[in-house]
Amino acid sequence: VKTTGGKGLHLVVPIDRRHEWPFLREFSQQVAEAIVRAAPDRYTSNMSKARRRGKIFIDYLRNARGATAVAAYSPRARPGATVSTPVAWKELTPKLDPQSFNVGSLPRRLAKLRQDPWQEMAVTHQAITKNMQERLEP
C-alpha cells in the first residue's frame, strides 16, 4: 500500500512479467468488478466523481499502457508538498492521514522506520494463474 500524495491510497501488487498489457488491464478490470459485485454499496469502478461519492474507487485504469501514477516517494505539486509514501499494512487504520506525509515529515518517518514497508517487493515472485483467471469470470 502507498499513499498517493493526495487523499487516496494505491495497492501495488508485484507480479512476474509473463503477460502483455492488454491481458493485465483486463485482469485488473475483472478484479475491480469482482470487488464491486461483492460490495456495491462500498466500492465502485466508475471513474465519475459524482457516481463514486461515498464509495471507494477501485481504479483498474492505472494498469493501461500510458496511464500515469505517482511513483513512491515522489513529492506532489500540491499545497503542503505531500509525498506518495509506502506504508505497512499495520499502518492502514482509520487514523492514517495520507496527507500527513510531506517533504518536511518524510525524513523523520524514514529515520524511525525499522524496516522498509516495501522490503519484500523486489524479491516477491508471483504470477496470475489460470485458476485465478477462472475464479474471476462472471
Side-chain angles (χ1 to χ4, degrees):
V1 178
K2 76 173 185 70
T3 66
T4 62
K7 297 184 293 183
L9 299 169
H10 283 169
L11 176 63
V12 179
V13 180
I15 56 171
D16 291 338
R17 294 180 184 177
R18 296 184 185 174
H19 302 284
E20 298 293 324
W21 281 104
F23 172 87
L24 295 171
R25 183 184 181 283
E26 182 178 330
F27 182 80
S28 299
Q29 182 177 4
Q30 289 174 344
V31 169
E33 290 172 355
I35 294 168
V36 172
R37 279 193 306 276
D41 57 317
R42 296 186 65 196
Y43 304 102
T44 184
S45 59
N46 190 311
M47 186 180 273
S48 165
K49 286 190 179 186
R51 306 247 345 248
R52 66 187 201 209
R53 187 174 197 94
K55 296 182 180 184
I56 295 172
F57 176 44
I58 309 295
D59 185 1
Y60 66 89
L61 298 170
R62 297 299 100 212
N63 295 299
R65 186 178 297 277
T68 60
V70 177
Y73 299 111
S74 294
R76 300 291 300 270
R78 295 179 175 213
T82 55
V83 176
S84 174
T85 306
V87 295
W89 282 109
K90 67 182 179 184
E91 294 178 278
L92 195 57
T93 69
K95 292 181 181 180
L96 178 69
D97 177 6
Q99 296 181 328
S100 68
F101 303 115
N102 58 57
V103 295
S105 67
L106 198 58
R108 288 187 301 277
R109 171 185 168 69
L110 295 175
K112 289 180 183 178
L113 286 178
R114 292 182 183 207
Q115 63 185 29
D116 178 352
W118 280 10
Q119 72 181 13
E120 300 296 320
M121 186 80 75
V123 296
T124 299
H125 296 286
Q126 55 193 5
I128 298 170
T129 65
K130 276 275 192 215
N131 184 38
M132 294 165 84
Q133 294 171 55
E134 291 168 0
R135 293 182 71 182
L136 283 174
E137 293 174 359

